[in-house]
Amino acid sequence: MVYSINKKTHTQIFLVAVAIYLLVSVIVSPDDPSVVRGLESKNESPGEDGRGLSNDRNPHKEWCPDARCSNSPMCSPCNRRFLFIVATGRSGSTTLLDMFNSLPGVRLAGENWGELNIAADLASNLHQGWFVNDAYGRGPFKHNPIPKQSMACVHQHLVHALNPPSEWMQHFAHKPVGEYDSSTILGIKTIRIQDKEWTPKEAAAYFMENFPCSRFIVNIR
């Protein structure tokens, strides 16, 4: 007997699977090879207080106690906190968005035609098994070593740019935008995470790699 799954049911299964992978990723040891690639964290010369140029210090343990942070001079991926609402259509996700945006210190963006789905291609394109961590001193692929998780700040800046502070703040506040938003919980609401051709495991890996200090609300109906 052949069973057909409609789009709504497929979306529900996909989102539940993503939630399971996100949960498993903080339970299983990061050194376990069965964990999604790219989630391991390694302490590299952190100094006595964990604040060396390359370290795994997490400044928001109350928000993301199990985050794996590979800090470097290029990027400190756990410096910002994120909240993502991933949902099916017509599930009340916009109401959730409005509720959380009414809280002080929280600013979540609404739908954006799956912008993070496109950004995920940027991340996967570099993970060819050799490009990111290796250096090439000469030849067509010449580049210096790219520190682990340094591309996370690129993706985090995209989320920030999708819903920046108010226009007044951008032009008239007496502090840089990054400093103004340093303690703001950022994020997005999306019903399109399943539209990309990737597995739930790959989706979870993308978020854990590039938004390690995050929480997720999975909303289905």
Side-chain angles (χ1 to χ4, degrees):
M1 182 177 295
V2 178
Y3 293 93
S4 62
I5 300 177
N6 60 36
K7 183 176 180 180
K8 179 179 178 181
T9 303
H10 173 268
T11 300
Q12 293 172 334
I13 295 173
F14 188 95
L15 295 182
V16 170
V18 170
I20 291 172
Y21 275 113
L22 289 170
L23 178 61
V24 169
S25 70
V26 300
I27 295 176
V28 183
S29 167
D31 295 324
D32 189 323
S34 65
V35 180
V36 180
R37 186 189 66 213
L39 300 187
E40 69 273 8
S41 176
K42 182 178 180 182
N43 192 317
E44 301 172 354
S45 304
E48 293 182 359
D49 61 354
R51 296 172 182 267
L53 291 180
S54 296
N55 62 76
D56 58 5
R57 188 177 69 90
N58 178 2
H60 298 297
K61 290 187 176 181
E62 78 292 342
W63 180 258
C64 51
D66 299 302
R68 290 151 189 159
C69 320
S70 295
N71 303 311
S72 73
M74 293 293 295
C75 178
S76 295
C78 292
N79 274 5
R80 286 191 179 278
R81 295 173 295 168
F82 291 89
L83 175 63
F84 294 98
I85 301 173
V86 292
T88 57
R90 303 297 179 182
S91 63
S93 58
T94 300
T95 299
L96 279 175
L97 175 70
D98 293 338
M99 291 170 60
F100 279 98
N101 275 334
S102 68
L103 298 174
V106 178
R107 192 173 72 249
L108 309 182
E111 295 294 332
N112 47 69
W113 303 111
E115 191 69 16
L116 285 186
N117 293 2
I118 300 172
D121 289 334
L122 172 65
S124 62
N125 183 61
L126 287 179
H127 283 284
Q128 302 294 328
W130 53 268
F131 187 87
V132 173
N133 296 322
D134 295 335
Y136 286 81
R138 62 181 63 186
F141 288 93
K142 176 180 172 62
H143 69 280
N144 293 320
I146 302 174
K148 186 177 297 183
Q149 280 188 295
S150 61
M151 294 297 291
C153 287
V154 176
H155 297 267
Q156 293 181 15
H157 184 72
L158 172 62
V159 170
H160 193 198
L162 288 173
N163 189 24
S166 67
E167 190 173 16
W168 180 91
M169 186 275 136
Q170 295 180 48
H171 294 287
F172 300 108
H174 299 294
K175 60 175 61 176
V177 171
E179 181 181 344
Y180 174 84
D181 270 338
S182 61
S183 61
T184 303
I185 297 173
L186 303 173
I188 65 169
K189 184 271 285 191
T190 179
I191 63 171
R192 293 176 169 83
I193 185 176
Q194 76 287 342
D195 289 350
K196 177 177 168 57
E197 293 185 1
W198 56 0
T199 66
K201 183 176 181 179
E202 290 169 338
Y206 168 73
F207 282 102
M208 295 297 290
E209 171 83 4
N210 295 289
F211 305 94
C213 193
S214 300
R215 293 189 179 188
F216 297 83
I217 297 174
V218 179
N219 191 49
I220 62 176
R221 73 182 282 264

